[in-house]
């Protein structure tokens, strides 16, 4: 029986088993490849998406767990905070190889949606689950502060 999930404002009927990871549904079934696979074990944050506005790891979330919820991926960002964060990312020239960055941006937006003026400690706590092998952490922090100023 198909499972219906709502991604970026649209319902999608998937021919998938209930335990299919949301990440595979997004990438393989819906062909939205902005969300990345890193570890597959909820350890790196590359696969971060929003479920009802909260960041979740799509690699370890089965599709049955998101039925009736609203999933947003990097392709579906549209909020004013998301716009500011993406601009700040560009202004701060955060990206190196880019592989981790969609997950980083999803976590940063979720942080700033709930706390537009985060302290360094708030930023570290919110972003600690997102790993960057290119070590862009200082620029990520700078971009979040840049976005926070623009949101003030
Ligand atoms: S791929 Fe999901 S946390 Fe690493
Ligand atoms: S920019 Fe390369 S892994 Fe983060």
């Amino acid at each position: 029986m198909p499972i219906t999930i709502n991604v970026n404002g649209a319902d999608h009927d998937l021919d998938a088993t209930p335990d299919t990871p949301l990440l595979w549904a997004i990438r393989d079934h819906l062909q939205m490849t902005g969300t990345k696979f890193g570890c597959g074990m909820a350890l790196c944050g590359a696969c971060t998406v929003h479920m009802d506005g909260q960041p979740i790891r799509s690699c370890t979330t089965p599709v049955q767990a998101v039925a009736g919820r609203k999933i947003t991926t990097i392709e579906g960002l549209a909020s004013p905070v998301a716009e500011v964060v993406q601009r700040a990312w560009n202004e701060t020239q955060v990206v190196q190889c880019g592989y981790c960055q969609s997950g980083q941006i999803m976590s940063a937006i979720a942080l700033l949606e709930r706390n537009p003026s985060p302290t360094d400690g708030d930023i570290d706590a919110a972003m600690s689950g997102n790993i960057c092998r290119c070590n862009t952490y200082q620029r990520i922090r700078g971009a979040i502060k840049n976005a926070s100023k623009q949101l003030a």
Side-chain angles (χ1 to χ4, degrees):
M1 198 165 105
I3 291 180
T4 303
I5 63 172
N6 185 285
V7 179
N8 298 336
D11 283 341
H12 299 272
D13 295 327
L14 301 181
D15 183 14
T17 58
D19 61 350
T20 299
L22 176 60
L23 178 60
W24 299 149
I26 292 167
R27 289 182 57 86
D28 294 346
H29 293 252
L30 304 183
Q31 307 295 315
M32 296 178 187
T33 55
T35 307
K36 303 303 185 193
F37 171 77
C39 64
M41 296 186 292
L43 296 172
C44 76
C47 66
T48 303
V49 299
H50 294 172
M51 181 171 73
D52 296 337
Q54 298 301 313
I56 62 165
R57 305 300 188 235
S58 63
C59 67
T60 53
T61 303
V63 287
Q64 65 185 351
V66 306
R69 317 294 288 269
K70 292 194 180 309
I71 301 299
T72 305
T73 70
I74 191 88
E75 292 90 347
L77 292 174
S79 74
V81 169
E83 191 178 315
V84 168
V85 168
Q86 289 174 293
R87 186 165 62 237
W89 237 251
N90 284 333
E91 288 171 355
T92 315
Q93 298 188 23
V94 172
V95 176
Q96 193 160 319
C97 83
Y99 198 84
C100 72
Q101 296 292 331
S102 62
Q104 305 280 4
I105 288 170
M106 297 306 285
S107 291
I109 291 168
L111 165 64
L112 290 165
E113 291 275 13
R114 68 175 181 275
N115 178 5
S117 303
T119 64
D120 285 355
D122 295 334
I123 294 171
D124 289 348
M127 303 301 294
S128 64
N130 287 83
I131 307 301
C132 176
R133 292 181 66 177
C134 300
N135 198 25
T136 62
Y137 300 113
Q138 289 303 321
R139 296 203 296 275
I140 287 170
R141 183 187 279 189
I144 292 171
K145 289 187 169 185
N146 178 347
S148 175
K149 276 192 200 122
Q150 294 186 47
L151 291 167

